[in-house]
Amino acid sequence: MSMLQPPTDLISVLPNNGYLIIPEQLLDKLHQFKQSESHHKEAGGLLIGCKRINGAKDEVTHFELTDCSTPHFVDKRSRYGFLRRSGSHIKKVLTAWTNSNQLQTYLGEWHTHPEPHPTPSASDINEWKKNLKGQKAILIIIGQKSDWFAYWNGSQAIVIQQPVKEINSP
Ligand SMILES: [Zn+2]
């Protein structure tokens, strides 16, 4: 018998009434880049996972995160900035796509902020408007004490609740 703990999923409800599912281990992985000390630089990467399509409505309802890319030494990192420069981020998405029989794909982006309770900067929002126009995506900012989670609906970020272990059904 395996002594490994089964993975725990954290769940949040999306504005489209779908679910965001993120394994606790993946959130732990993001928290390793928390900028809790003054010398810690911003970090970031791409979110990888599966989109679950609701066939009846023909729209994406659930986002299941499975993995993420993490900073590479050629990325531009400072205390107040992170710029993806490395091809390793996209490469990781493409590898997941191939290895999962085209189930896992790009689901969004994450980065850290050197503030306790993060909110997106004006340049974050400009970047998303430019790069995620018409796309649905998950956006995560890891702060020093709490995190910011949002659903990008194609034109704007809609804040969602911090994913938790159990959602009480109504
Ligand atoms: Zn930012």
Side-chain angles (χ1 to χ4, degrees):
M1 268 230 293
S2 168
M3 297 300 283
L4 288 172
Q5 290 280 346
T8 304
D9 286 331
L10 304 177
I11 302 169
S12 183
V13 180
L14 298 172
N16 65 0
N17 290 322
Y19 293 119
L20 166 66
I21 302 162
I22 175 168
E24 202 169 25
Q25 289 91 333
L26 181 53
L27 194 55
D28 289 346
K29 185 172 166 179
L30 299 182
H31 283 159
Q32 285 170 15
F33 293 94
K34 221 182 257 191
Q35 291 177 271
S36 32
E37 295 188 32
S38 59
H39 65 276
H40 291 162
K41 294 175 176 174
E42 279 198 16
L46 303 178
L47 298 170
I48 300 168
C50 313
K51 286 181 188 178
R52 301 284 182 82
I53 313 285
N54 181 327
K57 288 186 182 165
D58 198 28
E59 61 184 27
V60 174
T61 51
H62 309 303
F63 285 71
E64 181 185 359
L65 301 180
T66 52
D67 205 356
C68 66
S69 68
T70 51
H72 185 273
F73 69 89
V74 304
D75 293 328
K76 251 191 127 177
R77 300 179 63 185
S78 66
R79 180 67 178 164
Y80 297 99
F82 177 80
L83 205 60
R84 273 196 323 272
R85 278 255 177 100
S86 168
S88 62
H89 298 278
I90 277 292
K91 209 170 164 189
K92 180 145 193 183
V93 176
L94 294 175
T95 303
W97 167 260
T98 306
N99 291 348
S100 68
N101 207 7
Q102 305 176 357
L103 284 173
Q104 291 177 17
T105 184
Y106 167 91
L107 284 199
E109 318 205 345
W110 72 275
H111 69 284
T112 62
H113 270 190
E115 55 180 340
H117 306 289
T119 51
S121 66
S123 71
D124 287 335
I125 292 168
N126 284 339
E127 282 288 300
W128 297 330
K129 282 192 168 153
K130 199 173 66 186
N131 300 331
L132 297 173
K133 200 176 175 180
Q135 284 193 67
K136 310 269 196 287
I138 300 300
L139 303 168
I140 303 175
I141 303 176
I142 301 292
Q144 293 160 327
K145 289 193 170 141
S146 71
D147 308 320
W148 179 89
F149 285 84
Y151 174 73
W152 182 261
N153 70 0
S155 58
Q156 60 175 322
I158 301 167
V159 176
I160 58 174
Q161 297 272 315
Q162 170 93 22
V164 292
K165 281 182 189 171
E166 266 181 70
I167 291 178
N168 295 322
S169 37

